[in-house]
């Protein structure tokens, strides 16, 4: 059974930092793309960042470029999202996802975690 388990969310003041983790299990993710998405209240889920399992490529939404960094630790089967200079508009539930294609559309991702709440106070 494939599982993606996120952790690391919480409440932080604007300008602060958080690091999210996503631990994957249940299959080999070699060749897969790991993505982070977020959903704010009343809004659609949106792409944040993605990385190849090999770590050879990354991509970011314009809204987080220069502030967020995605990385992975193959030995730990874990993907991270380091979030710096957080803003109130970053408040959302953050989801980890895995899919076979290099894409930002959520429909391209087969596996999803349960989400972790990030709240940024202004």
């Amino acid at each position: 059974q494939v599982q993606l388990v996120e952790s690391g969310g919480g409440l932080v003041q604007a300008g602060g930092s958080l690091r999210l983790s996503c631990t994957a299990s249940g299959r080999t993710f070699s060749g897969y793309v790991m993505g982070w998405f977020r959903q704010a209240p009343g809004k659609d889920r949106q792409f944040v960042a993605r990385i190849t399992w090999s770590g050879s490529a990354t991509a970011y939404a314009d809204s987080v470029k220069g502030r967020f960094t995605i990385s992975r630790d193959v030995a730990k089967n874990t993907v991270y999202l380091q979030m710096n200079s957080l803003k109130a508009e970053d408040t959302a539930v953050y989801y980890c996802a895995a899919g076979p294609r290099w894409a930002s559309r959520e429909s391209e991702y087969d596996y999803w975690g349960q989400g972790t709440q990030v709240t940024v106070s202004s």
Side-chain angles (χ1 to χ4, degrees):
Q1 180 185 358
V2 175
Q3 278 194 313
L4 302 178
V5 180
E6 302 99 334
S7 61
L11 174 64
V12 63
Q13 287 189 331
S17 298
L18 280 175
R19 188 178 79 158
L20 305 183
S21 299
C22 170
T23 300
S25 62
R27 63 159 294 150
T28 177
F29 287 92
S30 176
Y32 263 60
V33 175
M34 305 299 293
W36 285 98
F37 291 76
R38 66 186 182 186
Q39 187 168 21
K43 295 188 177 181
D44 292 335
R45 190 154 54 185
Q46 62 176 197
F47 165 75
V48 175
R50 64 181 184 267
I51 186 170
T52 55
W53 191 252
S54 67
S56 60
T58 59
Y60 298 90
D62 287 343
S63 59
V64 306
K65 206 170 289 183
R67 300 188 297 123
F68 290 11
T69 302
I70 189 171
S71 62
R72 92 280 177 261
D73 185 330
V74 172
K76 295 183 178 180
N77 259 21
T78 299
V79 178
Y80 303 99
L81 186 67
Q82 177 68 43
M83 306 186 294
N84 298 329
S85 302
L86 283 161
K87 305 175 182 179
E89 51 262 45
D90 294 318
T91 295
V93 177
Y94 283 71
Y95 297 90
C96 175
R101 282 173 287 280
W102 184 248
S104 58
R105 288 192 306 274
E106 60 177 296
S107 61
E108 299 286 353
Y109 289 79
D110 300 329
Y111 306 108
W112 291 84
Q114 82 288 350
T116 186
Q117 176 71 45
V118 171
T119 303
V120 184
S121 63
S122 56

